[in-house]
Amino acid sequence: MADKLESIELPLLPLRDVVVYPHMVIPLFVGRDKSIRALEAAMAGDKQVLLVAQKSAVVDDPGPKDVHRVGTVSNILQLLRLPDGTVKVLVEGSYRAQLSQVRDTPHYLAGTTGELPCEIVERREAEVLVRSALAQFEKYVNLGKKIP
């Protein structure tokens, strides 16, 4: 993992309508040329890429102002080129990172400030959140849905 003060530069992959969190494993289908080049650059290096959600999914060529400032440094587990020219990539989120800069090269490169600390939830607050979630789940079950 990156040191909290260390600045690193990684290929950036803007995502439409999805947010990847640390420890989450998810397949992504990538079709934009810059995004495919970012994946190729990551594969040529240490197989790490910074995944950042776009603010608007309709933007086809997102710039630095079109993506959120916090993303997830992720490891590429598998990459498969599909016959239609798109790429299917399986990624695993590693840790949250904040963008410090974005450079527009043949693919996006993002400078990050390293790992962001996870927020600590106090025990009392966590208990309240758990009770609230259970109460909402009980309401859902009582609506008559069959849940295994």
Side-chain angles (χ1 to χ4, degrees), residues 8-26:
I8 58 174
E9 193 170 67
L10 293 171
L12 173 69
L13 189 62
L15 301 176
R16 299 179 204 233
D17 295 330
V18 67
V19 175
V20 176
Y21 293 98
H23 311 292
M24 181 177 173
V25 176
I26 185 171

Side-chain angles (χ1 to χ4, degrees), residues 71-87:
T72 303
V73 173
S74 301
N75 295 312
I76 297 173
L77 303 176
Q78 186 179 51
L79 188 134
L80 177 66
R81 295 179 191 283
L82 301 175
D84 64 357
T86 61
V87 173

